Amino acid sequence: MSAATYISSMPRLGAWIEPHPEGIYIPACDAWIDPSQPKARALVTHGHADHARGGHTAVLATPETLAIMDTRYGPQSGQTVAYGETVTLGDVTARFVPAGHVLGSAQIVLEHRGERIVVSGDYKRRSDPTCAPFEPIPCDIFITEATFGLPVFRHPETGAEIDRLLAALHANPDRCVLVGAYALGKAQRLIAELRLRGHDDPIYIHGALERLCALYEELGVPLGQLVPATAASKEQLRGKIVLAPPGALNDRWSRRLPDPITAMASGWMGVRQRARQRNVELPLIVSDHADWDELTATVKELSPAELWVTHGREEALVHWSMTCQIKARALALVGYEDEDD
């Protein structure tokens, strides 16, 4: 056998997992990671609806992610996997390690045939008082998102954005600040960040945030005094912070508030057009995803043989990786949204 024939007959790195439009399939254990359609066995990285869908026969996820899924979809038929715990699925071992995205978010470390593949889900590298920090795991293949995978996305320090929010509040004692924040992760993080900056006043919340905020408290994340906004008068809301889902910023619900300063917390607030489209007076660039510098720094730190990109701005990250002599490919998965981050 010639050397060329021998090389061509060698199995391709990562040949034991299959990217499909609806998710990543592992034939050796008949399991899917974050599938967008109901499957017999699903390994779920975190509780956001574009990764954690109901209807699976069996779910493997961290205790926090399963609790979130129970809250959103009703009781799940699931197996909890704590951070650092290894489970054996046929000839494949799987380990869940922190991703730093939201409470319970995990990277899934898969090992088979002497290879290690890390499916990172969504992640960020900045500190977050509501969840465990990202844990870098050396691997042969790193599977990453690219939500903010363009060099224009460089997020400012979170503390500086929280200070801007508090400055607007203190400068307008007769108004309230109405902040649009995604119901899972972003809202709770904002509350916790405000508490760290010494804001001990009651924070008023839209009814759509109540269940998940209560769950965070049950799971050991202190949020301080939270009050339903619908139970408060205009006078009570003056000089206060009100949190609501982004969709509530300009609907009838917000008209009862005292001349609100409309804010929104999202990585997309760095795009002026998005802020204008939402009629946002105070854009706050607070993201639960890695920005361009964090994405590229993570790939450099892990130095995988290959980089696979699931969703987002795949082309730029793939091109950058190739210039760094790291083989890269876009997986073209579907069903993963930008959300309101």
Side-chain angles (χ1 to χ4, degrees), residues 174-176 233-235 237-239 256-261:
D174 291 328
R175 304 175 70 184
C176 72
S233 67
K234 262 191 180 181
E235 199 57 39
L237 292 172
R238 295 188 192 280
R256 58 184 300 279
L257 304 177
D259 190 18
I261 299 169

Side-chain angles (χ1 to χ4, degrees), residues 198-278:
H199 184 76
D200 296 324
D201 286 0
I203 294 175
Y204 292 81
I205 60 173
H206 188 284
L209 307 183
E210 291 180 21
R211 284 193 307 160
L212 287 171
C213 285
L215 180 62
Y216 265 59
E217 291 266 14
E218 290 173 19
L219 295 173
V221 180
L223 299 176
Q225 185 181 1
L226 304 180
V227 181
T230 51
S233 67
K234 262 191 180 181
E235 199 57 39
Q236 288 174 309
L237 292 172
R238 295 188 192 280
K240 303 299 182 184
I241 294 173
V242 182
L243 293 186
L249 290 183
N250 299 302
D251 70 7
R252 292 180 59 188
W253 180 88
S254 66
R255 295 175 194 168
R256 58 184 300 279
L257 304 177
D259 190 18
I261 299 169
T262 302
M264 184 166 170
S266 167
W268 296 113
M269 288 298 97
V271 180
R272 291 181 183 178
Q273 183 62 25
R274 290 217 181 191
R276 283 196 295 266
Q277 287 171 348
R278 298 262 191 173

